[in-house]
Amino acid sequence: MKYISTRGQTAHKPFSEVLLMGLAPDGGLMLPESYPQISPETLQQWRGLSYPELAFEIMSLFVTDIPSEDLRDILNRTYTEAAFGTAEITPVRTLSDGIKIQALSNGPTLAFKDMAMQFLGNAFEYVLAKEGKQLNILGATSGDTGSAAEYALRGKKGVHVFMLSPEGKMSAFQRAQMYSLQDENIHNIAVHGMFDDCQDIVKAVQNDAAFKEKYHIGTVNSINWGRIVAQVVYYFAGYFNTTQSNEQKVSFCVPSGNFGNVCAGHIARQMGLPIHRLIVATNENDVLDEFFKTGEYRPRTAEHTHVTSSPSMDISKASNFERFIFDLTDRDASQIQALWAEVGTGKGFDLNWLLSKVRNQYGFVSGKSLHQDRLRVIAEVYQTDGQLVDPHTADGIKVAREVREAGELIVCLETALAAKFEDTVYEAVGKVDIPRPAGLEGLESLPQRVQVVPNNAEVVKEIIRETLEK
Ligand SMILES: *Cc1c(COP(=O)(O)O)cnc(C)c1O
């Protein structure tokens, strides 16, 4: 299996190389040359496999340049009961209205990004050791991505993580989660400024080609193909968990921001998994809902992005969206170049004549959920089912209820635990006890390790230099 770029100007590459890449050199995103097709017989054989076994069967179709036994070992070490709380890894439960909830949020940082990032940590370590390489991750986070990356890469050989966060802007829980890590290869840097300032520093360092090369600077952002492929697995797991036979179809409802999660669902569907519809749920930042309703894609600037109570979806330029549009245009790289040239000038594009294909051939629908909607859903689910769901999952449930057809089996992906977003949960249901996974009880009182710096890329470069030259 080789990988190609959505912009068509990059040589075909094997998985191990794509794993360590961010954007392709031509500015595009990497995708497999074609999607492996799963026959009904194979699907039947996969029913009943354990999560790591299923992950091996699916991922070995995409990862053909790592020996099978090594890939199996990486996956067995990744998807463990110790890391994800249950041997099932992504257990499914049913609400009293029949909607299913698939828990993707039982990993170390209580958000679905662990599902892929834990794999990425082990895969990076394996590939770097094999090739005798080093990688220094420089990232910016407003919460979930940074902590998921740090917990995935802590203590890994050949890797350092330099993670920028806006000083004082994350929740106490999120700060404690990241800053309490004492591993020597994890470096928390709090910047006097906003998340966008952190991101600008990352860009400034990336743009210094000499520095980037000398210090082997890389990223783990959500366009990384290794993350998408790991996410394909739980769509299969969720399907097997909620059906008895392959005659049945399931729809997935996905709280979305960068389109990474639902992009994996799209790929599972293209492989032949019997998915009826892919339901994209957004919050107040509704660029994706607008596209799936009208065919117009109009990314907003940072000033026009709302700060909401489901903050991990506060995204107005969905970085993985290009992967879907590539498939939608029958993989026409020159059309992608033209469309993203429009995005680059801030205009966006209109594909309204393809809307029926988006719905009928690709199964996409969408909806959006606002602050009052998510508060109401959190309160309703608490009353009817005695469970607390987090604000992002609540957005998904709201939209699933709204678009559900008679008899449709909908699995809502649970993308975080309520414990991570206490303030909004309290606002919805009052000051109740929010369950926390074992081991996280006294998190906020642990000693923290973080350097506070001015909003200045040179200062960050100096920290990287000093650390790596020690
Ligand atoms: C990242 C994240 C999302 C959005 O996922 P995308 O892959 O960016 O669409 C939704 N919910 C939570 C809790 C997240 O951390």
Side-chain angles (χ1 to χ4, degrees):
M1 168 74 75
K2 286 278 175 59
Y3 291 85
I4 57 174
S5 163
T6 51
R7 307 271 174 104
Q9 305 289 314
T10 300
H12 296 202
K13 291 184 185 300
F15 177 83
S16 300
E17 213 172 310
V18 175
L19 178 72
L20 301 180
M21 278 169 73
L23 281 180
D26 61 12
L29 279 68
M30 301 303 282
L31 272 177
E33 284 168 334
S34 64
Y35 298 123
Q37 295 302 301
I38 309 305
S39 69
E41 296 73 40
T42 305
L43 208 55
Q44 194 53 38
Q45 284 163 12
W46 287 355
R47 234 173 229 288
L49 292 184
S50 72
Y51 196 95
E53 286 166 347
L54 180 63
F56 173 75
E57 294 298 333
I58 295 169
M59 290 178 65
S60 57
L61 302 171
F62 293 96
V63 184
T64 50
D65 61 338
I66 293 179
S68 293
E69 282 323 298
D70 293 354
L71 179 63
R72 199 187 285 279
D73 176 61
I74 290 171
L75 293 167
N76 285 339
R77 285 187 288 117
T78 300
Y79 296 108
T80 64
E81 183 168 354
F84 290 93
T86 71
E88 268 189 292
I89 309 298
T90 63
V92 179
R93 59 189 194 274
T94 310
L95 298 182
S96 46
D97 66 356
I99 286 189
K100 310 264 181 191
I101 308 284
Q102 184 178 7
L104 307 182
S105 41
N106 293 329
T109 73
L110 318 188
F112 96 96
K113 296 197 172 58
D114 290 327
M115 293 302 305
M117 210 72 94
Q118 288 286 310
F119 163 73
L120 216 59
N122 288 325
F124 273 7
E125 188 179 49
Y126 172 86
V127 171
L128 292 172
K130 202 162 168 179
E131 298 178 3
K133 284 188 189 159
Q134 293 251 330
L135 186 63
N136 298 302
I137 300 294
L138 173 64
T141 188
S142 53
D144 291 341
T145 311
S147 55
E150 291 190 354
Y151 279 75
L153 294 168
R154 60 187 295 197
K156 296 279 186 262
K157 291 186 236 18
V159 188
H160 280 268
V161 179
F162 299 89
M163 191 56 67
L164 310 182
S165 51
E167 215 254 327
K169 306 291 187 309
M170 297 190 298
S171 74
F173 182 89
Q174 287 175 316
R175 282 200 302 273
Q177 228 179 4
M178 287 179 54
Y179 302 166
S180 66
L181 287 179
Q182 299 297 330
D183 306 78
E184 284 198 0
N185 69 330
I186 302 295
H187 312 279
N188 287 302
I189 302 172
V191 176
H192 277 301
M194 305 296 287
F195 170 66
D196 287 327
D197 298 315
C198 298
Q199 215 157 19
D200 287 344
I201 293 178
V202 172
K203 277 188 207 138
V205 177
Q206 293 273 353
N207 286 337
D208 182 344
F211 185 91
K212 189 178 168 191
E213 194 184 321
K214 178 163 186 204
Y215 295 103
H216 313 287
I217 303 294
T219 54
V220 281
N221 47 26
S222 77
I223 54 166
N224 180 288
W225 168 253
R227 288 178 61 175
I228 305 287
V229 73
Q231 290 169 184
V232 170
V233 176
Y234 53 71
Y235 285 89
F236 282 82
Y239 176 77
F240 292 135
N241 204 309
T242 47
T243 57
Q244 286 78 48
S245 93
N246 302 339
E247 306 299 306
Q248 287 169 279
K249 285 201 166 192
V250 169
S251 296
F252 285 91
C253 182
V254 188
S256 295
N258 261 324
F259 206 74
N261 194 347
V262 74
C263 184
H266 160 69
I267 292 169
R269 194 172 183 277
Q270 293 307 106
M271 292 170 71
L273 187 68
I275 294 176
H276 176 42
R277 302 197 293 174
L278 289 164
I279 304 163
V280 175
T282 73
N283 66 13
E284 287 84 343
N285 297 295
D286 58 354
V287 246
L288 290 172
D289 182 41
E290 193 172 283
F291 173 80
F292 287 107
K293 291 219 164 89
T294 68
E296 276 190 75
Y297 180 59
R298 301 254 171 264
R300 329 261 200 259
T301 57
E303 306 89 79
H304 293 99
T305 305
H306 304 277
V307 176
T308 77
S309 48
S310 44
S312 302
M313 292 153 66
D314 290 349
I315 290 162
S316 293
K317 216 180 229 174
S319 51
N320 277 291
F321 194 51
E322 184 171 334
R323 288 193 159 105
F324 170 63
I325 299 298
F326 185 59
D327 285 343
L328 179 67
T329 58
D330 299 318
R331 302 197 145 202
D332 181 345
S334 57
Q335 202 176 342
I336 295 295
Q337 286 175 27
L339 293 174
W340 259 266
E342 294 293 298
V343 171
T345 66
K347 285 212 288 279
F349 51 76
D350 187 350
L351 295 177
N352 66 68
W353 68 90
L354 291 174
L355 257 191
S356 67
K357 190 170 169 189
V358 168
R359 295 207 183 117
N360 304 326
Q361 185 177 332
Y362 290 100
F364 275 98
V365 282
S366 70
K368 78 173 173 183
S369 163
L370 309 178
H371 182 68
Q372 289 308 325
D373 297 319
R374 73 185 67 96
L375 292 186
R376 181 174 43 77
V377 169
I378 293 171
E380 281 171 7
V381 171
Y382 187 56
Q383 295 215 313
T384 54
D385 294 273
Q387 299 175 14
L388 289 169
V389 292
D390 101 289
H392 307 79
T393 309
D395 287 333
I397 296 172
K398 187 266 180 182
V399 172
R401 286 176 171 171
E402 190 173 88
V403 304
R404 191 181 190 186
E405 298 166 342
E408 186 179 20
L409 189 56
I410 301 186
V411 176
C412 284
L413 299 183
E414 181 174 52
T415 55
L417 291 191
K420 222 171 166 173
F421 299 97
E422 287 180 343
D423 291 346
T424 303
V425 174
Y426 291 149
E427 192 181 338
V429 297
K431 199 111 186 174
V432 298
D433 258 348
I434 303 180
R436 260 194 198 188
L440 294 177
E441 292 84 4
L443 185 69
E444 287 92 335
S445 54
L446 294 176
Q448 300 191 355
R449 206 166 139 258
V450 57
Q451 311 179 58
V452 182
V453 303
N455 178 9
N456 183 334
E458 290 308 317
V459 177
V460 171
K461 280 187 192 170
E462 193 48 42
I463 291 176
I464 295 174
R465 227 180 260 127
E466 268 178 25
T467 308
L468 298 177
E469 286 177 357
K470 243 195 322 224

